[in-house]
Structures are given as structure tokens and as C-alpha cells.
Amino acid sequence: MRLKLYLESGSTEHEGGSQLAWILALPGCVSYGETPEQAINRAPQIAQAYIDWLRGHGEIVPAHIQLQRKPTEIFHVRVWHDYEINAIFGPDFGAPSAEELARCLRWMEHSRQDLLRLVKDLPAPIFDKKPDPNRWSIRDILHHVARAEVWYITRLSSDPDQIARPAYPQETFALLETTRTWAVQQLQHLSSNVSKQIFTHEGEVWTFKKVLRRFLYHETYHRQQIERLTGGPSHV
């Protein structure tokens, strides 16, 4: 399986480094580095781990990959009024097929199952412990993941304030379930209405396919963050 790389350069949001090498054929699969070379050099290992993770969940994907070494596109992150404008790439445009949407929703479910397995039995002192006063606890991270999924859906509207958001339960696991159920319903509904449209918010361009990959990336990123905090399983 031969895959292309897409480089997002200059992000300030990621513990892994400011350079992100996206493998868009595997939505949500990202390699990080402090330099473009680091991100690109790590990409084959990251992509293979992602494929192994998918195969572990019963997905039929090629066992081995070959990555091109030169990025197909490079997007330089910009900041607009303290808001970081993240990448949009060529493959983010156009409507996903029904098969592509179903695949992404399955992968989102695999990710959620792994996240819940990781945190469901954690005792409260660990759940609420902060590495330092300026960093999130595991509970904080989970609440962020849940609310971010609603925010991603609002990117697919020309008037986000008009979107009827779900009520947010206070209990963490109820919040995760509520927002995920709502988000999946919205994605399924919006796929026939806005899947070809382009939206711009705070200077950032959004499309349906970009939102899908950001859903997968975002939970994977924070699940790995929780794994580092707990010493849990080290997988994608």
C-alpha cells in the first residue's frame, strides 16, 4: 500500500512537536516531530502502528505500507486573533462516499472503545490528578474530547450559533456518550446536505472530510496523552 504524506508545519498545539505529517489515506493517522524531517522519518512507523491497530479491530487493510518521502502538500499554520488556523489539504475537498463515511464512523467507534477501556476503571484520585496546576487531569481531557466533537460539527454550518446543541450531562461518561451519539447522528444527517460545501470560520477552511479526519485524529491524540499519564497500553 503506497501512501502520500501531507505536512502541517508550525502548530503550537501538540506535545509531539510543531510538525505534523498526515497520512490522509488513513484518516486520523499523524506523525509528529520537532522538524519536518523528524515527522516524515517517523511516519512509516506511525502508519504501520495505525494499520496494526485497525487490523486488531477487525478492519481489512493492507498489512504493510510504503510512504513517499516528499510531502504532496505543505500547509503553514497561521494564527488569527490568537486562533490557530490548521491545515486544509486537497483530499479534504469533495464529498466522501457512503463507504468512506461508514469506515470513518467505524474507526471512531474503535477509538472510543479503546478510550473507555483505558479510563473506565481508574480510581478517582488518578482520574482527577493534575500533572501540574497548569495541565489537565484525565477528567478534564475527557470533557474536552466530548465537547470538541460538538464544536467540530458546528464547523459545518455557515451559522454555528443556530445549531441546537445537546444538553451536557455533568457525569463524565454520560457526557462522552451524549456528545458522541449526537455527533454521529449529525454526521449521518449532514452527509447528504453539506458534504460538498466549504465553510470558513475565524479564517480557517472546513469541509466535511476535514471534520471526519479531525474527529479521528483528536480522540487518538488525547487517548495517547492519557496513556502517557496512566502508563496504559502503548498503541495507536
Side-chain angles (χ1 to χ4, degrees), residues 8-12 18 75-79 84-87:
E8 182 172 352
S9 179
S11 176
T12 61
S18 64
F75 183 96
H76 294 282
V77 169
R78 305 184 302 280
V79 176
E84 184 171 295
I85 299 172
N86 295 128

Side-chain angles (χ1 to χ4, degrees), residues 116-132:
L116 293 177
R117 276 194 291 267
L118 183 64
V119 300
K120 64 183 179 66
D121 294 325
L122 290 177
I126 294 177
F127 210 64
D128 292 306
K129 180 181 178 181
K130 294 191 176 186
D132 64 59

